[in-house]
Structures are given as structure tokens and as C-alpha cells.
Amino acid sequence: MLELRRLVLICEFARRGSIAAAAAALGYSPSAVSQQLQALEREAGTALIDRTARSAELTDAGRRLVIHAERILSMVEEAESDLSAHAGTPSGRVVVTAFPTAAVAFAPALARSLRRHTGLTLRLGQARSGRGMREVRSGEVDIALVDDWYGRVHDSDSLRVFPLLRDPLVLVVPRKHRLADPDVPLDLRELRDEPWMATPDGEPSRLAVDRLLVDVGGIRPTPWEFEGLTTILSLVAKGIGIAAVPALALAGGVRGLAVRPIPGNPVGRDVHAVARGSSVHRPSVSVTLRAIHVAARYIAADLEPVRAAERPKRGDAPAGGFLDSHLGSPLGE
């Protein structure tokens, strides 16, 4: 009889590519993982891993077993979800990962919504773009908030994708910049000589900025690169330069900025929640997905003033939301 926890180990080994990496991911010592994989080979009655002095890789039998193991583990999770769904009460820990700006934007609403479920605990972590779906697929997390710049995120055999909101690029400038006044027409072609700042080459938001600038006539390459959109926003607020960032990045609450919508159909990204199809009916996962959808509606409403590009009238009450500090008059009225 093949033991389930050993099937988890061989699947993790297949994903990570080494015993050491699998051990680190699961919190075991490499020797413990090696011993358990040897026990799995005895249970299977055949060699599953080809070991050399410097490396280890799956044999043909090992690769076939991984295919079966992934299906078995998915069925086990589906059975657990079905049983817990009939229990009806969300409990245990639900693990969510998100790209950094989404983690900041969604955290307050998720915490407020889920804290009434006293038997449920939430762990919200951050992952670099592209890792979230892999972590859901591997079972490391239950739900991932992922960004999709090119329309490539779709349902698969094992994953369900839930669209949440559209997040456009917006122009951010210092409050004293001439373009901080929303009545001044915005033409990106006139900004060729401005000190642009962006994330490093290869980052999704940098690729989006490059596309935007090429579309308006090829503004010169960005000379200043900084890790993290929060760093870029803080530099813009200090008057050091200008930038185009996803509107969701403004959730961090950096002050001293003026935000201008980009004319036409600006480059942007779609934000999705991703979960395993076998887990979506588990109460802890389903209630968290509902909370994420509610949070997304509030966040989308906060993004709407960026799209509308309307100057608030003097004396108007603020609409509420994390963009309030950025969308007032450039003189801070």
C-alpha cells in the first residue's frame, strides 16, 4: 500500500528538482526525505529515483507514479472538501498568497470580513509575479491573487480562475508638477525628457511601461530603475521624477502624489484569484473566495475615480477609499 505522505514527498521532489529543495519546502531534513523516498520505492517495488553522487532524478517509473500521485492527492483533497462542506462551518487555516500590491490592497478587507469566523485563521503572504499559480498547484497555498498582463491566465484541469478587477497603468507625478493640475491636457509625447523611473528590466510592470512608451512614440529608455513600486512612488512624491504604475500600487497610501489617468486605452493588467478545483467547496476556501470578491468590488470602486479623471469640486465630501489622498486638487485643497 502506497502511503499518502510519501506520495506528497515524491510530487514535491518532482516539482523542486532535488531532495534538498523538496526538504526545504516541506520543512524536513534532506536525510529524512531521502529515507521516506526509499521507503516509497520499497512500497512500489521498483526504483523511482536515479541517484548519483551529485544529483538525483526521477526514473520512468517515478514519473509515472507522480502522475498517479497528483491525481490521487487531488481526489483526497476533493473528498476532504466534500466532507467539510457538509459540516458547513469554516475552520482551520486558509493560506493566501498575492503579488505585493494586491497583498497591501486586499489585506484590510479580508481581515475585516474573515475575523467573524472564529474558527478560521488566515495567513496572507506575498509572492513574486508568476509564483502564485505554482504554489496553488503544488498545495503550498489555497488561493493566489495573480496579475495577468497578457490574458494568459485561464482555468486548467486542476485550477479554477476567478476574475476580480482591471488595474490600469496611471501616470503619477509630484504634487508641484505642471501635470498635477487635471485641467492641463496630458500628452505623453511631451514627456520624453522627463526623468522616468520604473522597475528593473524583466519585471511585468516594467514591460507594461515599455509598451506604453513605445505606443506613444518611443520615449527614451528609462535611466533609473528601482526594486518595488512603493520605492518608486516615494521618489515621485519627493519630486525626483515621474512614473507610470498600476493604480493598485496606490493602496500603500504614499502622499505627495498627483495621479493622472492615461488617455485612450492604457496598458493594464487583470487581477484574478486562483484556487484548486478540488478545494473550492471547502468552507474555509469558499468563504475566503467570497471575501476576496467583495474586497475586489470595493477596490474597483476606489479605482474608478482614476478612470474618470474628474477634479473634485471644492467642498465635496471624499468618496472614500485608498485613492482619496491622491485625487484631490494639486494644491492640497
Side-chain angles (χ1 to χ4, degrees), residues 163-298:
L164 298 175
L165 57 89
R166 178 71 174 173
D167 184 22
L169 283 186
V170 294
L171 180 72
V172 289
V173 299
R175 280 293 181 126
K176 295 184 179 180
H177 195 280
R178 60 186 175 83
L179 288 177
D181 183 348
D183 289 334
V184 175
L186 175 59
D187 186 346
L188 291 179
R189 289 171 296 184
E190 298 178 358
L191 300 178
R192 296 174 188 272
D193 297 325
E194 293 278 349
W196 284 85
M197 293 180 291
T199 52
D201 277 331
E203 291 288 330
S205 61
R206 172 61 182 276
L207 295 174
V209 171
D210 290 344
R211 285 167 53 202
L212 172 72
L213 299 184
V214 167
D215 288 345
V216 297
I219 294 174
R220 62 184 174 83
T222 302
W224 296 345
E225 298 179 345
F226 299 92
E227 288 280 358
L229 293 173
T230 300
T231 299
I232 290 172
L233 291 175
S234 67
L235 293 171
V236 173
K238 295 180 185 300
I240 295 174
I242 67 174
V245 302
L248 200 60
L250 300 172
V254 178
R255 296 187 178 274
L257 300 172
V259 181
R260 297 293 306 274
I262 294 171
N265 185 22
V267 176
R269 60 184 174 182
D270 294 309
V271 179
H272 307 295
V274 180
R276 291 182 299 282
S278 58
S279 72
V280 294
H281 298 298
R282 191 191 314 158
S284 60
V285 174
S286 64
V287 75
T288 304
L289 284 170
R290 286 196 296 271
I292 287 171
H293 276 91
V294 171
R297 287 199 294 270
Y298 282 107

Side-chain angles (χ1 to χ4, degrees), residues 28-181:
Y28 299 134
S29 68
S31 61
V33 171
S34 182
Q35 290 170 10
Q36 291 301 312
L37 290 175
Q38 289 172 358
L40 181 61
E41 288 178 313
R42 290 193 295 271
E43 292 172 349
T46 187
L48 302 174
I49 297 176
D50 183 13
R51 297 172 175 82
T52 67
R54 295 188 177 184
S55 66
E57 62 181 21
L58 291 170
T59 63
D60 288 343
R63 284 188 285 271
R64 289 197 301 273
L65 179 59
V66 167
I67 293 172
H68 290 298
E70 289 177 340
R71 186 162 59 246
I72 291 167
L73 294 171
S74 177
M75 292 174 66
V76 169
E77 182 174 44
E78 190 171 353
E80 292 173 342
S81 296
D82 180 66
L83 293 173
S84 61
H86 284 83
T89 302
S91 61
R93 184 174 73 163
V94 62
V95 182
V96 180
T97 190
F99 58 94
T101 50
V104 173
F106 279 81
L110 282 181
R112 284 193 296 266
S113 178
L114 295 178
R115 65 186 177 188
R116 68 176 181 270
H117 300 287
T118 56
L120 181 68
T121 59
L122 169 69
R123 176 184 173 188
L124 175 61
Q126 296 186 15
R128 295 182 67 85
S129 182
R131 285 188 54 192
M133 293 185 69
R134 292 197 297 270
E135 293 180 347
V136 172
R137 188 176 287 110
S138 69
E140 296 171 75
V141 303
D142 299 302
I143 302 168
L145 301 180
V146 301
D147 54 354
D148 181 12
W149 292 93
Y150 301 101
R152 296 174 181 170
V153 177
H154 303 287
D155 286 350
S156 67
D157 290 341
S158 61
L159 300 182
R160 291 280 308 279
V161 175
F162 303 90
L164 298 175
L165 57 89
R166 178 71 174 173
D167 184 22
L169 283 186
V170 294
L171 180 72
V172 289
V173 299
R175 280 293 181 126
K176 295 184 179 180
H177 195 280
R178 60 186 175 83
L179 288 177
D181 183 348

